[in-house]
Amino acid sequence: MKFIHCADLHLGSAFLGLGRDLPELAGRLAEAPFTAFTRIVDLALRERVDFLVIAGDIFDRDNPSLAGRMRFREELLRLDAAKIPVFLAGGNHDPVPAAWPPAVKLPGNTRLFAADTVEFFPVERHGEVIARVGGISHSRPRQTDNLTERFAAPPGGPFTVGVLHANVGAQPGFQPYAPAAVADLAGKGVDYWALGHVHNFRKVNEAAPAAYYPGCPQGRAVNEPGERGCLLVRVDSAGRLSVDFHPLEAMRFEVLEVAGLADLERFDELADRCRQAAEQYRGGAPLLLRLRLSGPTPLNAELRRSDPAELAGLLGAALPPNATLERLELATTGIRTEIDTDSLAAEVATSAAELREEEALERELAVLRSKCPGVPEFTRDELESIRHDAVERILDLLAGTMEARP
């Protein structure tokens, strides 16, 4: 038996900030979540899976557009034609029934779990029950109760999949909706927990029952970088699992830091270095790249005084054809010149000797007095004190500089 586990499609994501900053990509960004789901359906048909599970947040908001719902239905109809059952759970973004008005009817192959109780449905192949899938939907945008407590699969059944949109194990960076401990997953009669809500691929439980987050199939911002996709789960006759991640994103986000720039003195060398660093992503999905330049470089002053938009345009044009610069961040510094302490010592010693010459000091002070009317002439004792203090201060500063160096 094999099935696909996906979650967090977020169909209808607005990408407002990115669409504003990169208007030439606004259309492709809006299309990307739908493209990713189409690829999931393609994989299901190609692999001839026994069923498909979507663990919540199918839509990005609780009032999805009619066009978005119809497009989702069209993909479900492709699976219906292939007699592949689909099991859906509403999440915090698309709770039941708010996000699922009856104007768009789900195909006969599709089951949307209720929000008040856990439902179990059999999966058949050639008239034989090979699995059962149980789940529950969120009833509101902020579901705060532990929904695992409502799971209780009838004993003695076939391989059982539990579908749940929840924060299991206090996953950092995600709201604690339907919070549950990993230990809460045990003893529910579930062999595989198909989880949703966390946007990164994670294996939650090492021991039985297995529990996975597939992550979202399409990143929505640079804080969701890397490959995105779904899980293809295979179960052998002994109930042993193999879980394979399939990247399917339509557009990929990455953060690329380029450091080690101290040897670069020309801008074309910097542009080449950025292009070479971005080459590691060649061959994948179209790339939205946040480029961060860091560390000391002789080009720091030139970079800092350049117009930010022009600089981003120059470096963006140098990237590989599949990459678009999402943002440029500068964290560079200038090159600090090492002090030659031996030369400094000799220079200070010479200055100190000159200060000791009474006539030289008097000339310098006379110049200063000419710029400050009303300052009386210094007495000989005052001149001697100034000369002595200046020499000692310079030598102390030199000693401190030299002692501070390793």
Side-chain angles (χ1 to χ4, degrees):
M1 178 183 70
K2 55 185 173 180
F3 63 93
I4 284 177
H5 168 202
C6 64
D8 299 282
L9 306 181
H10 287 279
L11 302 177
S13 292
F15 294 96
L16 291 175
L18 283 170
R20 180 189 64 247
D21 297 338
L22 301 169
E24 70 278 10
L25 293 180
R28 290 171 63 187
L29 286 167
E31 189 69 17
F34 291 99
T35 301
F37 182 53
T38 295
R39 292 175 179 178
I40 291 172
V41 173
D42 290 342
L43 178 65
L45 296 173
R46 189 165 60 248
E47 290 287 339
R48 299 180 180 178
V49 299
D50 293 291
F51 58 93
L52 169 70
V53 167
I54 312 180
D57 282 2
I58 294 153
F59 297 108
D60 189 54
R61 56 185 188 271
D62 61 4
N63 59 341
S65 70
L66 178 61
R69 286 181 285 148
M70 287 299 294
R71 288 191 63 180
F72 179 61
R73 182 176 182 273
E74 288 170 7
E75 296 298 334
L76 297 180
L77 286 171
R78 294 174 62 203
L79 296 169
D80 186 46
K83 295 181 170 52
I84 296 176
V86 180
F87 300 95
L88 314 176
N92 55 287
H93 278 257
D94 56 355
V96 172
W100 303 87
V104 176
K105 183 180 179 181
L106 296 173
N109 68 324
T110 302
R111 298 288 181 268
L112 174 63
F113 294 115
D116 54 352
T117 186
V118 174
E119 300 173 286
F120 286 91
F121 297 98
V123 177
E124 296 184 0
R125 183 201 295 155
H126 306 308
E128 177 186 358
V129 176
I130 59 171
R132 61 185 172 187
V133 181
I136 188 171
S137 291
H138 286 219
S139 62
R140 55 193 182 276
R142 291 177 174 83
Q143 190 92 33
T144 56
D145 48 326
N146 185 348
L147 296 178
T148 64
E149 296 174 351
R150 306 188 195 184
F151 277 82
F159 187 90
T160 300
V161 176
V163 185
L164 181 63
H165 193 85
N167 190 326
V168 177
Q171 301 293 329
F174 296 89
Q175 294 289 343
Y177 296 143
V182 174
D184 295 337
L185 302 179
K188 310 297 184 184
V190 172
D191 300 295
Y192 179 96
W193 285 94
L195 302 175
H197 184 52
V198 172
H199 286 197
N200 305 311
F201 167 70
R202 289 179 188 172
K203 183 177 182 179
V204 175
N205 202 21
E206 293 292 336
Y212 286 83
Y213 286 108
C216 54
Q218 174 58 57
R220 298 188 296 158
V222 75
N223 64 347
E224 295 178 348
E227 292 182 325
R228 302 275 154 175
C230 66
L231 302 180
L232 179 61
V233 184
R234 293 179 174 86
V235 186
D236 67 15
S237 58
R240 292 184 295 257
L241 290 169
S242 67
V243 180
D244 297 313
F245 176 80
H246 284 254
L248 298 164
E249 73 277 359
M251 300 194 77
R252 178 174 174 179
F253 292 88
E254 289 291 351
V255 179
L256 177 62
E257 181 158 359
V258 180
L261 308 175
D263 60 326
L264 304 184
E265 296 183 351
R266 301 195 315 272
F267 183 79
D268 60 300
E269 294 175 325
L270 173 62
D272 286 343
R273 184 73 58 85
C274 293
R275 177 187 54 77
Q276 292 165 8
E279 287 285 353
Q280 62 184 292
Y281 305 115
R282 181 181 287 274
L287 183 67
L288 277 172
L289 188 69
R290 179 168 295 184
L291 181 62
R292 188 171 191 266
L293 306 180
S294 65
T297 173
L299 295 168
N300 180 62
E302 190 73 54
L303 297 175
R304 296 287 178 177
R305 66 171 168 255
S306 297
D307 177 84
E310 290 182 357
L311 183 59
L314 290 170
L315 290 175
L319 296 176
N322 71 319
T324 299
L325 186 65
E326 181 260 353
R327 183 183 300 174
L328 175 65
E329 295 180 347
L330 285 183
T332 55
T333 62
I335 300 290
R336 291 191 176 92
T337 304
E338 292 295 325
I339 297 175
D340 184 342
T341 54
D342 291 337
S343 298
L344 179 60
E347 185 176 342
V348 171
T350 300
S351 298
E354 291 176 352
L355 279 172
R356 287 191 178 97
E357 296 180 10
E358 186 174 321
E359 292 183 1
L361 178 59
E362 289 178 354
R363 286 195 301 270
E364 293 298 324
L365 290 175
V367 172
L368 292 174
R369 284 179 59 250
S370 68
K371 298 177 181 179
C372 303
V375 176
E377 291 189 19
F378 296 104
T379 66
R380 184 132 338 247
D381 288 341
E382 288 172 335
L383 287 172
E384 183 60 32
S385 177
I386 292 171
R387 182 167 50 246
H388 179 270
D389 291 346
V391 170
E392 293 302 316
R393 177 61 175 159
I394 291 172
L395 294 175
D396 286 346
L397 287 172
L398 175 61
T401 301
M402 295 176 71
E403 289 172 5
R405 295 196 165 275

